[in-house]
Amino acid sequence: MPDSNLARRVYTTHAVAEHEAPEIDGFITEKAWDAVEWTSDYIENQPDENTPPSEQTKFKVIYDKKYIYFAFRCYDQDPQGIVKRMSRRDGFEGDFVEINIDSYNDKRTGFSFTASVSGVKGDEFISDNGNNWDSSWNPIWYLKTNIDAEGWTAEIKIPFSQLKFGNTPEQVWGLQSTRRYFRAEERSVWQRVPQDAPGWVSEFGELRGLINLESQKQLEIQPFLVSQYETYPEEKGNPFRDGNDAKLNGGLDAKIGITNDLNLDLTINPDFGQVEADPAAIALDGFQIFFEERRPFFVENKNIFNFRFADGSDNLFYSRRIGRNAQGYPSTNGWVKMPQNTTILGAAKFSGKTKSGWSLGLLESVTNREYAEISEPGGRRSEIVEPLTNYSVGRIQKDFNNRNSYIGAMLTTTHRNLSDGELDFLRKAAYSGGIDFKHNWKNRKYYFAGNMVASHVVGSKESITRTQRSLTHLFQRADAGHVEVDEDRTSLTGTGGRFEIGKSSDGHWRYTGILMWRSPELELNDVGFLRQADEVRQFAVLTHQTLKPFGSFRKIFTRFEQFSSYDFDGNFNRLQYTLSANFNFKNNWNSYAQMVYKPRIYTNTILQGGPRFRYSAENFQSINFNSDYRKKFNYYAGIYYSQGKDDSFSYLEYDWGFNYQPIDALTVSFSPNYSINKSKTQYVDQLDSGANTRYVMGHLEQHTLSASVRLNYNINPNLTIQYYGQPFISRGRYKNFGYVVQPTASDFNDRVLEYKPSQMVYDQVNNQYNVYETDGSPNKDYSFSNPDFSVVQFRSNLVLRWEYIPGSEIFLVWSQGINGLANTRDNLWRGLDTQILGQQPENIFLIKATYRFLL
């Protein structure tokens, strides 16, 4: 049980004159360090909590007007055995020490600085009491390390401008330090944190002695210049694809400290050319695919703008809507040049947290009006494909009740500058908002949390009708008694939310109960992310964790979950039970196993506007493991298998890979993945047949093969070469087509009526199937395109990154991409060969230089 009376350690620091400040060289020899005492007595946290660590650690803290300084002495009886592995920033390899600072002293958020013995920096913003660590935060700070006969030392200098704190005469900050002793994979901490504690930041010790700190209003200006050259296969006759393009671009990023707590971030004409490519993916269910944000302007302080209100990726704000691909496409038979994405003219972000517990965020962005260029026999013209659009996001949250509770709110708006009759399929305006709260009691042992959201979208009759018919809503379902399409509507208003109660600490057991909903009218996809509306879900979760190593195990974590789902028409659509366990062995291997039983599966979406459909009961099993990742060569493997009753569907996936670090400066990883998806009820199309609509389904066999390759080479901690590449192919073949007759029949064979061979004729010229429902009829009833596919993609980035002074960088980037359609009769290897090795790729070469003025 976490001890509410557990002693809070206190370290008292002292100020030094600026001219006496220590030189950051890794040698703790300057007189300034004599102003304070060492603090030591670290205690083991992992694997055997509350026991003496293998090696002790001690540190000192001093400060002057502009900086706070940390000195670490990490004892090691075998200095030759210290692991000096390198990585790119935030790689966290080898031996390291870490300092966590809760300068707000809010017991929920903090700033983390990690110093590896090899000199590589790591920095993260901590939120949600340690449940979220955001490595996208990249402050300016200074680090040097040294190995000697006693072990190793580190000196750190952090500008106060990179931290946020109040203006009280005497500051009290939360403080924690962690050391990783790599050879034993052991973590020791300065302030003890029990394994069953309710969180991380709430358990910190205290840093005192910070007297009369002067406000350090941050002012950083970072102009950049980008030179880009692109090559691609020339298309004869296409004036827009002559084989190469070149351009020169520039812009500006800035960070201005409005107060010591709050920053204003600005970007003008931002460039994201050095950002790693998204992984390849294909969705047969028609739903959009969620991709993580990677663009620097949007990832910093993203925790403040986060408002997950249900489960999965559902969020009021999805920053990748800003700068999205153009949503329109011109109607023409000529050549078309589409903009690669929507140009962000500028964006501003005001965010931070005050000492009194207010978290504030305001984001404003404008994207440009975009046109497609068209070349037709009569000449050239342009046509609008995306309107001028303004996005606004506001976020506020307040801590109270001695930081044990908070309440917050969020508001988003999207406004498109649309003229009458222009891009009528787009909504003219969209608004969403919500409130959220959390309350902890009994020393954070129990909690109650929740949120409620609402949306309102406005537009033309066409746009709102299109919204009602979209896959997210499907108001046109004939068997739905609670919704119907109204083609005269010009607005739509919906709600959603989540309530959760549970036990979060104290002992081996924890439990949670959750209820969430998304009304049929809820629409967030203008600047948020919503996969599916019209659903009520209930979860019950019970977990057990061991608190001490035993036998062959360091730790075992077990989870049982029950989940059910309903729609707003009262249909009971899903019931699912999950049992999983994670095993951490004393040899540092890990294994994870999961079993899922789904006795009831109904879906409102698979027929894409058709009636509710029933899937057969499903059993899912998976097991995976990874070897000791301390070894220079380590590997992992996993297998995932799902089987539907009556052999109606199956899914088999093999996932494996390895990481190899032959020398401290070089890391190579290879991660292939292969899956086989078989379904006898894969949706194909819906077609009119007289007075009836035929929902055509087929037997699908889909094979997908991909592999991610990564290479990181550290010339030194500030000069790295990084490579990422991923070939991907997914091939699907269909047979045994039929149409839905009894979508909710209990017997799988009664749900779909297969066509007889005499009822179908393949039209090779048009690559389609003609259906004659009446045998011998000379006239076909309807046709549908051959759904077979074989999609090939290749994405890669080679980046040389040089941080020539802290915060200022030069990037040399080579990006390569291929999109192809292979022959569906070929096997996967042949498809990869013809579409990747046998095709000329698109190449982008760019040089980007930034200079960060810290004023």
Side-chain angles (χ1 to χ4, degrees), residues 602 613-617 645-648 680-681 740-753:
Y602 289 81
F613 188 82
R614 180 176 185 171
Y615 281 122
S616 299
K645 186 181 178 182
D646 305 319
D647 196 29
S648 57
K680 294 181 179 178
T681 53
V740 176
V741 287
Q742 298 183 57
T744 59
S746 58
D747 190 323
F748 157 74
N749 296 301
D750 294 334
R751 296 172 204 155
V752 178
L753 179 63

Side-chain angles (χ1 to χ4, degrees), residues 518-538:
R518 290 164 291 207
S519 78
E521 301 85 2
L522 185 67
E523 174 54 56
L524 302 175
N525 289 318
D526 290 275
V527 74
F529 191 95
L530 177 65
R531 189 175 189 270
Q532 184 181 350
D534 193 8
E535 187 174 31
V536 178
R537 287 192 173 193
Q538 164 271 323

